[in-house]
Each structure stands twice: as C-alpha cells, then as structure tokens.
Amino acid sequence: MDARTILVVDDDVVSLSALLEILRDDGFRATGAATLEAALRLQAVFLFDLLIVDLRLGRANGLDLVARARHEQSTMPAIVLSGASDVTAEMEARLLGADYLAKPVAPAVLLALVRLRLNRVRSTAHPEPI
C-alpha cells in the first residue's frame, strides 16, 4: 500500500466516489471532499501529497483551491479535472503548476499521472546521492 495521501475534490458525488475507488484500489490513501469549504477544512488539519480537483465546484472554482494549496505547500502537485473544454482554465492551471485532464478520464491515464507527479515530488525532496 502506498502511504502517500491524496485529496480529491469534486462536487459530483458519483465522480468523487469513482475517483476515490480508482485511487484506493491502486493502494493510495485517498480522502474526498464535495465542496471547496470541506476541502479547505481538510487541508487545515491534514497534509496531503497530491490534490485532484474538479474545475467547477458548484459556484466555486477549483483553481482557487489549487492556488491556496500551492501557497501553503509549494511542492504539492495538483491535477485539475474538467468536463468542459476550457483553454483559458487549462492555461491558468498550468500557470499554477497543475496538470489539466478532460473528463471522463481513463483510470490508467489518471493513475499514471498520479504516480508520475508523486514520484517527481519524492525525487525532488530526496535527490539521489551523486
């Protein structure tokens, strides 16, 4: 089991449940939140290794959560998911250092990106000796 923790934020409870199941089935410790407010409460208490957030969270914007998370934990990778093609939002996500994926996301694609981002953070935090 992978000890790294992932916060998944999506206001669509069906999507949220599916994402959590994919991550947990692959051995990750994943926690879900259905609102921006719930996610902020979780982030105030726990340190997460990765953030996966839907672009639209009701009237809130998932990019706001990414910006806050990056401000508090500058090395935490983030993945922004969106059901609609939005070039401006994709550019904003990338400027924040986040990856951007269109929904629906194939589980294999999501898991590959999650592993890539978590491994990149781990290798940056603990570089190999020369």
Side-chain angles (χ1 to χ4, degrees), residues 26-82:
D26 205 58
F28 292 103
R29 294 185 333 183
T31 301
T35 65
L36 178 68
E37 295 77 19
L40 291 172
R41 285 193 299 274
L42 286 167
Q43 283 186 312
V45 177
F46 303 103
L47 285 177
F48 293 95
D49 298 300
L50 176 75
L51 171 65
I52 299 175
V53 61
D54 191 22
L55 178 63
R56 303 280 178 242
L57 298 171
R59 292 186 299 197
N61 186 328
L63 294 175
D64 294 337
L65 184 59
V66 172
R68 286 181 184 185
R70 299 285 296 175
H71 177 73
E72 294 171 10
Q73 245 181 299
S74 64
T75 61
M76 182 174 65
I79 300 170
V80 176
L81 304 176
S82 178

Side-chain angles (χ1 to χ4, degrees), residues 19 22-23 52 79 81 101 105-115:
L19 291 166
I22 289 165
L23 294 164
I52 299 175
I79 300 170
L81 304 176
L101 294 175
V105 178
V109 170
L110 178 66
L111 290 171
L113 184 57
V114 165
R115 284 189 212 100

Side-chain angles (χ1 to χ4, degrees), residues 1 3 9 13 16 24-25 34 45-46 53 56-57 74 83 88 90-91 94 98 100 103 108-109 117 121 130:
M1 178 172 249
V9 187
V13 292
L16 179 60
R24 289 174 181 160
D25 284 352
V45 177
F46 303 103
V53 61
R56 303 280 178 242
L57 298 171
S74 64
T88 302
E90 182 175 355
M91 286 177 42
R94 297 204 187 280
Y100 187 93
K103 286 182 177 180
V109 170
R117 292 299 167 240
V121 168
I130 296 176

